[in-house]
Amino acid sequence: MLVKWALLGLSLGLLRVEAGRGRGSPSTTTPAPPPLPGPVDLTLALDRNASSPEQPFTVTKNASAWGEFGWTSTQTSCSSGQAGTHMQAPYHLNEHGWKVDEVPLERLLVAAVLLDVSAEVAANGSFLLTADHLIAWEKKHGGLPDNSVLLINFGTSAHGGARGASRNPSVTTTATPRTTPLNPGLSQGAAVHLTTLGRVVGVGVDLPALDAVGTPRGRGEPAARALMAENVYALLNLDLSRELPAKGFSLLVLPPKVRGAAVAPVRVVATTRSPSPSRAAAAAVLPSTKMAIGTVLCLYLVQRQS
Ligand SMILES: *[C@@H]1O[C@H](CO)[C@@H](O)[C@H](O)[C@H]1NC(C)=O
Ligand SMILES: *[C@@H]1O[C@H](CO)[C@@H](O)[C@H](O)[C@H]1NC(C)=O
Ligand SMILES: *[C@@H]1O[C@H](CO)[C@@H](O)[C@H](O)[C@H]1NC(C)=O
């Protein structure tokens, strides 16, 4: 009985702490971001518009018909692993890195943050993200969460998306024609800064490559190489056109479990539900979740008392 009451006290204490935080503690640097209205899909549909440097996505067989027992539909498709929204596993540029099927699950259910440089890219299509931009973001929003994916919005989604873009994205649409090629990217210095911090397990962009490939600084993909040397993966051609908060959300990163693959298509979903109970989750569990756990525990104990 004594033990039960002690547990009840603990759970009530948890509720009090969370309620106190809800009223706004002075220690937080920025106010809590508003929750997402629901899950947000950051994936482009995989269809023949999803081009790639090698083999674009192609449906080679589409057998759909009414038969003796009713409707049956099956397809066979052929595609490069780099078509559309895709993951580059660390093995892509690191012989000893994880392949797609080897990336640990706790690195696929992660906290996420968003750095928006679309205004910088609009002003300069060759914008290069440096370590200073990352440091400025951290000053404003607090440190990058542990076990997280850093999303960088270069603003290409607003120009019709990275859909159809080649590795050198000269993104043009009828709505906003561009005269200069859009070829921004991540600098090697920014990548090294991230690996030094050691908290980011993946970097996601609305570009077909992390580096500004096609420019001298992107030659040999130094930024992607620096990240993959530390087993950090890349998510490319993401659809970042939907508004996301700078922090306080999670990602589900789900590539098919293709054995031995360096690159593969990937489904990426943003949500304000907390990530897996990994090392990140202990720090990142949302207040509402803690509240629910506390409440359930209380109810259970009260029931046992009676
Ligand atoms: C490809 O893009 C065009 C133009 O945006 C669109 O009309 C079409 O539905 C897309 N899908 C396929 C499968 O072609
Ligand atoms: C297969 O054909 C059906 C009927 O034309 C169509 O609705 C469907 O989108 C096709 N699937 C693919 C993958 O092309
Ligand atoms: C655009 O950014 C690149 C990379 O930082 C820089 O080298 C270049 O000078 C900039 N161009 C202009 C016009 O500011």
Side-chain angles (χ1 to χ4, degrees):
M1 182 63 84
L2 205 58
V3 172
K4 283 175 191 166
W5 277 112
L7 271 172
L8 181 58
L10 190 70
S11 58
L12 285 172
L14 185 65
L15 283 172
R16 237 197 354 263
V17 168
E18 290 310 314
R21 273 190 201 160
R23 282 196 296 270
S25 80
S27 64
T28 50
T29 47
T30 46
L36 295 172
V40 178
D41 199 340
L42 307 183
T43 322
L44 296 173
L46 197 52
D47 58 30
R48 61 188 156 83
N49 288 336
S51 81
S52 87
E54 307 97 9
Q55 163 76 54
F57 179 81
T58 319
V59 178
T60 52
K61 187 180 153 208
N62 186 352
S64 305
W66 283 92
E68 192 187 341
F69 304 104
W71 174 259
T72 308
S73 174
T74 55
Q75 288 87 25
T76 308
S77 53
C78 182
S79 175
S80 151
Q82 308 223 65
T85 303
H86 64 278
M87 167 188 268
Q88 287 178 341
Y91 180 66
H92 178 56
L93 298 176
N94 171 7
E95 189 188 352
H96 306 290
W98 285 314
K99 294 166 182 157
V100 168
D101 57 313
E102 294 169 342
V103 177
L105 270 184
E106 64 265 23
R107 292 189 171 220
L108 301 177
L109 303 170
V110 291
V113 299
L114 176 78
L115 197 154
D116 192 328
V117 292
S118 52
E120 286 84 345
V121 177
N124 179 355
S126 305
F127 171 78
L128 213 57
L129 185 104
T130 66
D132 287 343
H133 295 110
L134 296 171
I135 293 162
W137 187 96
E138 290 175 78
K139 277 223 177 83
K140 189 170 173 198
H141 298 286
L144 294 167
D146 195 18
N147 200 52
S148 62
V149 162
L150 166 68
L151 299 176
I152 308 165
N153 180 17
F154 285 92
T156 69
S157 303
H159 295 276
R163 169 184 287 265
S166 68
R167 287 183 70 80
N168 183 354
S170 304
V171 182
T172 51
T173 64
T174 47
T176 48
R178 294 189 64 93
T179 47
T180 53
L182 194 56
N183 203 351
L186 202 68
S187 72
Q188 186 179 20
V192 169
H193 176 74
L194 290 174
T195 58
T196 305
L197 290 176
R199 299 200 192 111
V200 161
V201 299
V203 176
V205 297
D206 52 347
L207 299 172
L210 290 183
D211 289 83
V213 290
T215 72
R217 271 185 272 202
R219 223 170 146 249
E221 302 184 66
R225 274 183 199 281
L227 289 165
M228 290 179 193
E230 299 300 324
N231 257 332
V232 175
Y233 60 79
L235 303 172
L236 304 172
N237 287 337
L238 289 174
D239 177 3
L240 298 177
S241 59
R242 290 274 301 276
E243 204 180 320
L244 294 170
K247 61 176 190 177
F249 63 104
S250 308
L251 284 192
L252 302 166
V253 179
L254 298 174
K257 203 167 174 178
V258 187
R259 202 183 295 284
V263 291
V266 65
R267 190 78 184 260
V268 183
V269 177
T271 167
T272 21
R273 290 178 61 179
S274 70
S276 68
S278 66
R279 58 201 172 103
V285 169
L286 300 173
S288 59
T289 313
K290 266 190 188 168
M291 187 80 91
I293 292 167
T295 310
V296 168
L297 198 59
C298 285
L299 289 176
Y300 171 73
L301 285 168
V302 169
Q303 207 173 14
R304 286 288 296 270
Q305 302 296 326
S306 55

